[in-house]
Amino acid sequence: MTPYLQQIRALNDTRSLAPVEQGANMRLTDMDIVAHQALLMEKGSEILKAIKVGEIVDILAGLGNLAYCALTAIAMQGAEVTDSPVTWQHDGLVVSVMRNLSDKINQCTSGNSSDYSALYCLCAHLSKHFINADFDKVMQMIHKSKMAKQLKAPDLSDCLYE
């Protein structure tokens, strides 16, 4: 289990969300799938807007938040993150980034934890290889922000390697 998935499960437990036993692999309800899909599409849109204006830190924040949302869906199912190979290669085209993100988000309409895992793995890969950032630090900062219930997103500029 990724440490982030474990942290999200602990956060859900403290917020009195119905605890799901690890390994339960429960199916999300149709309404849960719709709610998660709306959130994933919103986060995906934020990434595309950041790409459009060239804001690297905002792209990184979007990728981190999208990954966090995918992990939340996995946690709700009591499932584990499955390692999913990423086929995206740095070709210098942002259209390929957009296409891959859009495809992975769309596949999450299945509600399967494997599709949420594939989205999570893509976000991690793009953070590391497209943005050149410390994905672990990004996830730690986002989780810390959520724990503190901060409305303002954390400044992730320290996560860039440059």
Side-chain angles (χ1 to χ4, degrees):
M1 176 181 355
T2 70
Y4 320 115
L5 182 59
Q6 191 173 21
Q7 291 170 347
I8 289 170
R9 284 191 175 133
L11 179 62
N12 288 349
D13 290 346
T14 62
R15 292 191 175 162
S16 300
L17 298 176
V20 177
E21 188 175 317
Q22 183 177 333
N25 292 321
M26 295 177 55
R27 174 102 172 111
L28 294 175
T29 67
D30 287 351
M31 291 312 294
D32 285 336
I33 294 169
V34 169
H36 281 288
Q37 195 64 21
L39 192 56
L40 294 175
M41 291 173 75
E42 178 185 322
K43 299 303 177 190
S45 177
E46 290 172 8
I47 295 168
L48 297 180
K49 288 174 185 172
I51 288 173
K52 180 181 171 189
V53 295
E55 291 293 333
I56 297 296
V57 174
D58 291 344
I59 298 168
L60 181 59
L63 289 169
N65 283 314
L66 188 60
Y68 200 91
C69 291
L71 286 178
T72 301
I74 295 168
M76 284 183 66
Q77 297 177 60
E80 297 295 330
V81 174
T82 53
D83 195 21
S84 181
V86 176
T87 57
W88 181 84
Q89 294 179 345
H90 200 311
D91 59 5
L93 301 174
V94 293
V95 171
S96 68
V97 173
M98 176 202 66
R99 188 175 296 121
N100 273 298
L101 281 171
S102 296
D103 288 347
K104 293 297 182 207
I105 290 170
N106 184 53
Q107 290 169 4
C108 290
T109 59
S110 70
N112 294 329
S113 62
S114 60
D115 291 324
Y116 291 111
S117 291
L119 178 59
Y120 170 80
C121 291
L122 178 62
C123 290
H125 183 85
L126 291 174
S127 296
K128 294 173 186 174
H129 302 288
F130 176 63
I131 303 296
N132 193 27
D134 184 344
F135 181 71
D136 292 326
K137 189 172 182 180
V138 168
M139 294 302 288
Q140 290 168 6
M141 291 177 74
I142 288 173
H143 183 71
K144 185 177 178 182
S145 172
K146 297 215 184 274
M147 289 286 293
K149 298 181 183 177
Q150 296 175 342
L151 297 177
K152 186 179 178 198
D155 179 10
L156 301 177
S157 54
D158 288 343
C159 300
L160 297 171
Y161 286 130
E162 296 188 62

